[in-house]
Amino acid sequence: MGFPDRIARTVDVARPPERVWTALTTPEGLAAWFGRQARIDLRPGGAGSLSWEEHTTDFRIERIEEPHVFGFTWRIYGLPAADPRRTYVEFTLEPTGTGTRLTVVETGFAQLSPAEYEVSYSGNVTGWAAELDELVAYLDGV
């Protein structure tokens, strides 16, 4: 592997883990910061989707340890919709004295060709920075 396989970002949120968990795992919470509409069947193997004005992406829930770990697989950004490869996204919530430390890690980029990697990895690095900023702003406003 000649390039990083993972994206990791940590943010501190001034809300308890239960509130952050709700923002990550409910249709209303997800739609408030991560897309315009959301659907989620919150169970291992459950399906979900996130919709924006220009596209929809589906995901499959892989791990739930309420309210500390939420993980799913989803289609890799930049690849055709029919491509079966997926990355794994995991959110970890840790209580702090003032709220929650939220870490998101996305892995699985090593399976890509260099050209695919260039588009997918950089797109998701930018995407996670923007989306987590939106999550923090949403939770600060609630």
Side-chain angles (χ1 to χ4, degrees):
M1 175 176 62
F3 42 76
D5 184 50
R6 67 192 303 238
I7 297 168
R9 182 152 189 245
T10 300
V11 294
D12 289 317
V13 183
R15 296 286 183 258
E18 294 76 18
R19 180 65 189 105
V20 179
W21 181 263
T22 298
L24 296 173
T25 62
T26 66
E28 300 78 21
L30 284 167
W33 67 275
F34 198 24
R36 296 255 186 225
Q37 293 181 321
R39 180 181 55 81
I40 186 169
D41 179 7
L42 190 61
R43 63 180 175 83
S49 66
L50 297 165
S51 298
W52 293 265
E53 291 175 4
E54 66 278 359
H55 71 281
T56 298
T57 190
D58 296 323
F59 60 91
R60 181 179 187 269
I61 297 170
E62 304 293 340
R63 186 173 176 197
I64 300 173
E65 294 176 22
E66 185 176 349
H68 302 290
V69 181
F70 174 57
F72 61 84
T73 54
W74 66 352
R75 189 174 70 79
I76 300 173
Y77 172 75
L79 298 184
D83 193 300
R85 293 175 289 177
R86 302 286 184 262
T87 56
Y88 176 70
V89 176
E90 186 169 277
F91 294 93
T92 304
L93 293 75
E94 298 175 58
T96 65
T98 58
T100 305
R101 176 159 291 137
L102 173 66
T103 300
V104 62
V105 176
E106 183 173 10
T107 58
F109 295 97
Q111 64 187 309
L112 303 174
S113 72
E116 292 167 335
Y117 175 84
E118 183 69 33
V119 171
S120 298
Y121 186 82
S122 63
N124 283 25
V125 165
T126 301
W128 282 121
E131 296 297 350
L132 289 181
D133 287 350
E134 289 182 25
L135 173 62
V136 171
Y138 164 68
L139 289 168
D140 282 348
V142 175

